[in-house]
Amino acid sequence: MLSAALALTFLALVFGLLLGYSSIRFRVEGDPVADQIDAILPQTQCGQCGYPGCRPYAEAIASGEADINQCPPGGEQVIQALADLLGREPKPLDPDRGAEKPPMVAFIDESDCIGCTLCIKACPVDAILGAPKQMHTVIADECTGCELCVEPCPVDVISMVPVEEDISHWKWPLPKVANGDAP
Amino acid sequence: MRLWSFHGGIEVPGHKEISTTRPVEPAPLPKRLILPLSQHLGAPAEPLVAEGEEVLKGQMIASPAGFVSAPLHASSSGKVVAIGEHPVPHPSGLSAPCITIETDGEERWVEREQRDFRQLEPAEIRETVRQAGIVGLGGAGFPAFIKLNPGRTIKTLILNGAECEPYITSDDMLMRERPEQILRGLLIIRRAVQARRCIIAVEDNKPEAERSLRQALGSMKEDADDIEIVTIPARYPAGGEKQLIRVVTGQEVPSGGLPVQVGVVCHNVSTAVAVYRAVELGEPLISRYVTITGGAVAEPRNLEVLIGTPVEELLQLCGTDPGAVQEVIMGGPMMGISLASLGVPLVKTGNCLLAVGRGEIEHPEVMPCIRCGNCAEACPMSLLPQQMYWHARAKDFDRLREYDLFDCIECGCCAYVCPSNIPLVHYYRFAKSEIRARQEQKRKADIARERHELREQRLAREKAERAARHARKRPGPSDESKKAAIQAALERARAGKQGAAQDDV
Ligand code: SF4
Ligand code: SF4
Ligand code: SF4
Ligand code: SF4
């Protein structure tokens, strides 16, 4: 009887601590600068910046630990926005982190998938559907193109394909003018 | 009736006479009809038919996907031969999903229900208009039933017969030839929106159209005391919705606002005809008047065209010399889109095909902006085109929104008067699509952030649960004893192997 009560108390304590920890770790509000930075980052969650996701990188920038040019998916646009926000000079993307690429999504060649679930474990945004020993599929609309699922696949059937341009995503280009109509 | 004037605007040569000399005739039935699933603003329609299926003229072949969407109907009877990507009239020149019908020449109709609109409630009228796939035929193709449901008191219903853009005469010919249908459509729309007074606005460069409308109004039996036909001075873009409301009622629609906010609803005269045909004849929108004109066209005129007819065939019908064509524009020279391929079909919003002859529209050399301010004087939306141009060039999108970029109606007045020939509208279109793309990017990033956070929380919860399960377990063998057990097992295995190896020798 007593041991049961003790065990329950112990459990309550463990859960309480864990909940407390996760509420700090995953707090929604909090450091407003980090929030503003996180709002600018592309949320690809690829880790190329050297941090395990966009939020930790945002916190590192806010604390002055990381520079503003470490996010390849964000590229020039994000660097510019961060520079504006923080009142700093924009600088070119750190080439050691990778290069800016056109948007891609993961594609699984389903005929060869062995259903090992390793890619599901790797996906930071739960964009892969599948169950053990079943074939797996990427929900293209939710895939951020982080490439984290490509490496773990033991049969190499995941490839990154460019996002197809269709009419609803087509953009008017900046007009090309022969003599540049420079001021 | 008192008229007002709007800010800016320009006087442009009309070039309208050339296409109004011949009466309108139906274009011959094409072999193939190509029907894009998206000919309206909003979500593309969803196919209801499969390849190989026989369809009747007027049969619904794709249904609306959501509220802001429109269904699609077979323009003639025949067989569905393809459902898939086909080039469509779009500035990108890209393809989009289309249903292709091989016509059988029999023009077999679906069953059509003829009704008297006076027996119908406003909601029934709206539903009929919706099911008929009617979109605004003078402009961007906004589903018409939505504008039939204003949700507040409408003082003035305006039928837009201004047709201010050069070269286009399809509304003009419709007003000349089918004034009774326009008036009938007006009565139906009046009933749907419960308007107190109705105005049909015609630019003063269309005296024949005005005359025939007046005649038809005079001989109408229904009560028509509240219907007025007014001629307004021809000045581009008097047919722009906000400009027309200003001219006719003196009211300004607020920035970013809609006409209903000032108690006005505006519909095009061709939309009125489509409404009449849908409600009283039971015919969905499957054809329209189209102007085929321009310097490269030998016999410029208007034809009644089935939606989905390939542009190429229409140009041929009017004797277009392919060698003389500089470009083909769907719409007019100010706001139309240049076609990348002539295999594209005519769509619901396609009021004009302009086959520009060589040298007919000049593209003079672009020079630096001299800050003359002509553009601001000409802008009918009272914007600052020069400033918007600088910010668009600098990709300073936040500033651009402060300049009300999204109020720009892309009328082209600013570029028309610019002495430096700067393609100003192109810059605004660039900026608008870039801003929309960034909003979409932001929306997707927000979803990814949320999904990532949920995942992190889930992983932490799972970890906690594992830890808890572990703690709940009876104190089993301690780590030490486990290690010992594993060690023992390993040794047994090794001994076994060795034994086997020795046996082999
Ligand atoms: S590199 Fe950019 S997108 Fe990738 S995790 Fe870091 S901040 Fe996020
Ligand atoms: S599917 Fe692959 S590439 Fe896409 S988000 Fe998931 S792990 Fe990244
Ligand atoms: S009209 Fe042309 S040159 Fe004049 S201010 Fe406007 S953009 Fe500049
Ligand atoms: S295109 Fe836009 S900015 Fe230029 S005149 Fe028309 S409304 Fe004004």
Side-chain angles (χ1 to χ4, degrees):
Chain A
M1 183 66 217
L2 185 70
S3 66
L6 274 177
L8 279 177
T9 324
F10 173 71
L11 275 182
L13 205 71
V14 170
F15 279 124
L17 281 175
L18 273 165
L19 279 177
Y21 167 74
S22 40
S23 75
I24 296 167
R25 173 79 175 71
F26 307 110
R27 76 192 148 207
V28 183
E29 78 276 33
D31 184 353
V33 182
D35 283 344
Q36 281 169 352
I37 296 173
D38 193 35
I40 291 170
L41 296 176
Q43 307 301 320
T44 309
Q45 315 292 359
C46 61
Q48 282 170 275
C49 49
Y51 294 86
C54 303
R55 176 83 211 178
Y57 177 46
E59 276 157 20
I61 297 177
S63 71
E65 180 191 313
D67 209 338
I68 59 171
N69 63 343
Q70 302 184 2
C71 172
E76 200 190 304
Q77 194 185 319
V78 160
I79 296 173
Q80 182 67 52
L82 288 175
D84 287 349
L85 174 71
L86 303 168
R88 292 202 221 155
E89 277 301 305
K91 45 169 83 174
L93 182 68
D94 180 354
D96 294 347
R97 307 280 166 190
E100 198 173 343
K101 280 189 259 183
M104 306 269 236
V105 286
F107 172 76
I108 300 182
D109 183 351
E110 290 167 17
S111 56
D112 285 334
C113 169
I114 54 169
C116 70
T117 76
L118 286 176
C119 56
I120 295 194
K121 295 202 180 86
C123 180
V125 290
D126 288 337
I128 305 182
L129 269 183
K133 307 222 175 79
Q134 302 278 307
M135 120 194 140
H136 287 42
T137 313
V138 177
I139 309 170
D141 213 39
E142 282 171 2
C143 170
T144 65
C146 70
E147 303 190 12
L148 293 178
C149 53
V150 176
E151 218 342 88
C153 177
V155 282
D156 273 337
V157 294
I158 307 185
S159 51
M160 301 304 294
V161 294
V163 177
E164 247 179 79
E165 187 179 51
D166 63 3
I167 280 195
S168 57
H169 294 105
W170 178 82
K171 291 190 285 184
W172 282 89
L174 189 66
K176 276 195 208 67
V177 173
N179 63 357
D181 67 310
Chain B
M1 197 181 113
R2 173 165 179 205
L3 293 179
W4 282 261
S5 63
F6 60 92
H7 178 266
I10 50 175
E11 264 166 46
V12 277
H15 302 289
K16 290 181 186 264
E17 335 65 53
I18 51 173
S19 56
T20 53
T21 53
R22 298 172 175 83
V24 181
E25 279 171 21
L29 181 70
K31 289 223 160 41
R32 269 172 188 247
L33 291 161
I34 303 139
L35 297 155
L37 291 174
S38 184
Q39 303 183 35
H40 50 266
L41 280 187
E46 287 164 357
L48 294 170
V49 290
E51 273 176 37
E53 208 169 313
E54 297 276 338
V55 292
L56 295 173
K57 187 181 176 96
Q59 180 183 335
M60 192 189 284
I61 53 172
S63 61
F67 181 70
V68 186
S69 186
L72 187 63
H73 302 79
S75 316
S76 184
S77 60
K79 193 159 116 186
V80 176
V81 288
I83 300 178
E85 302 275 317
H86 190 283
V88 294
H90 189 267
S92 66
L94 289 172
S95 295
C98 297
I99 297 178
T100 304
I101 295 171
E102 211 169 74
T103 55
D104 58 14
E106 290 175 26
E107 302 268 36
R108 280 171 296 135
W109 269 95
V110 283
E111 207 180 302
R112 284 167 282 177
E113 192 191 349
Q114 306 202 343
R115 291 186 294 183
D116 182 343
F117 80 91
R118 282 160 302 190
Q119 316 293 324
L120 299 176
E121 291 302 313
E124 291 174 295
I125 295 175
R126 287 194 284 272
E127 188 52 24
T128 309
V129 168
R130 173 163 212 219
Q131 294 298 327
I134 300 175
V135 302
L137 294 181
F142 192 70
F145 78 95
I146 298 176
K147 282 212 296 190
L148 292 183
N149 192 9
R152 61 169 91 187
T153 322
I154 293 303
K155 284 201 292 268
T156 315
L157 164 63
I158 302 175
L159 269 204
N160 188 346
E163 199 166 52
C164 57
E165 194 163 351
Y167 288 98
I168 310 176
T169 55
S170 55
D171 286 349
D172 187 357
M173 294 311 281
L174 196 67
M175 290 187 281
R176 292 187 199 195
E177 298 189 349
R178 296 186 175 169
E180 301 82 13
Q181 299 193 3
I182 293 174
L183 289 170
R184 208 74 201 154
L186 175 67
L187 295 179
I188 299 172
I189 298 172
R190 179 180 73 177
R191 181 169 172 85
V193 304
Q194 306 276 313
R196 280 195 230 135
R197 83 176 170 144
C198 305
I199 293 171
I200 306 178
V202 186
E203 266 193 356
D204 59 11
N205 57 6
K206 303 175 189 54
E208 293 88 349
E210 190 209 337
R211 210 173 311 129
S212 86
L213 277 172
R214 282 198 196 283
Q215 245 169 29
L217 183 63
S219 53
M220 203 163 71
K221 284 177 219 72
E222 272 85 3
D223 123 66
D225 291 348
D226 58 345
I227 300 177
E228 220 177 319
I229 295 163
V230 293
T231 47
I232 60 172
R235 181 172 187 81
Y236 181 80
E241 194 171 59
K242 291 185 175 177
Q243 285 69 36
L244 188 61
I245 291 170
R246 166 78 193 159
V247 169
V248 174
T249 71
Q251 276 172 303
E252 299 271 1
V253 180
S255 164
L258 293 173
V260 286
Q261 285 171 263
V262 293
V264 178
V265 164
C266 234
H267 283 278
N268 185 272
V269 285
S270 345
T271 313
V273 169
V275 167
Y276 155 71
R277 300 183 78 90
V279 173
E280 295 219 314
L281 307 181
E283 291 178 12
L285 176 59
I286 54 166
S287 69
R288 66 162 301 147
Y289 274 24
V290 183
T291 310
I292 295 135
T293 185
V297 180
E299 291 169 33
R301 64 180 308 173
N302 279 269
L303 291 173
E304 188 174 17
V305 176
L306 292 178
I307 308 295
T309 305
V311 162
E312 214 162 13
E313 290 179 29
L314 295 171
L315 292 173
Q316 268 166 17
L317 278 173
C318 301
T320 309
D321 173 7
V325 179
Q326 177 177 309
E327 65 172 330
V328 176
I329 295 172
M330 189 175 281
M334 303 296 289
M335 299 182 70
I337 54 171
S338 186
L339 298 179
S341 126
L342 298 185
V344 301
L346 186 103
V347 291
K348 291 176 182 177
T349 50
N351 51 5
C352 177
L353 292 172
L354 174 58
V356 182
R358 301 211 175 277
E360 195 181 354
I361 297 181
E362 290 171 32
H363 293 285
E365 199 187 344
V366 177
M367 313 274 277
C369 169
I370 56 168
R371 300 179 187 272
C372 63
N374 287 359
C375 47
E377 253 168 60
C379 177
M381 296 302 295
S382 308
L383 304 174
L384 295 171
Q386 182 201 336
Q387 282 78 347
M388 300 201 311
Y389 157 64
W390 289 112
H391 292 306
R393 264 187 56 156
K395 303 189 189 171
D396 193 347
F397 300 120
D398 292 337
R399 290 297 295 280
L400 264 172
R401 305 194 80 166
E402 289 167 25
Y403 283 98
D404 293 327
L405 171 68
F406 281 91
D407 277 351
C408 166
I409 55 170
E410 302 178 16
C411 64
C413 291
C414 50
Y416 188 85
V417 299
C418 176
S420 297
N421 311 311
I422 301 172
L424 293 165
V425 184
H426 194 157
Y427 281 96
Y428 310 144
R429 286 175 171 160
F430 154 74
K432 284 184 189 176
S433 67
E434 195 63 40
I435 290 172
R436 287 202 193 98
R438 289 185 181 200
Q439 280 170 340
E440 173 64 13
Q441 215 176 36
K442 176 105 183 56
R443 193 186 63 83
K444 280 196 129 179
D446 287 343
I447 293 174
R449 181 187 299 109
E450 198 182 318
R451 292 186 66 87
H452 183 62
E453 275 168 10
L454 285 173
R455 175 186 160 87
E456 299 271 279
Q457 281 166 19
R458 194 192 75 225
L459 291 181
R461 201 173 52 239
E462 281 169 7
K463 208 163 148 193
E465 278 164 11
R466 263 200 307 277
R469 258 202 312 274
H470 190 72
R472 207 164 40 214
K473 270 197 196 137
R474 286 272 167 75
S478 72
D479 276 4
E480 288 300 308
S481 59
K482 243 195 225 158
K483 264 190 203 145
I486 291 171
Q487 196 59 31
L490 278 176
E491 261 154 37
R492 268 201 305 280
R494 221 175 283 141
K497 248 194 202 150
Q498 264 167 17
Q502 270 159 12
D503 286 352
D504 279 356
V505 172

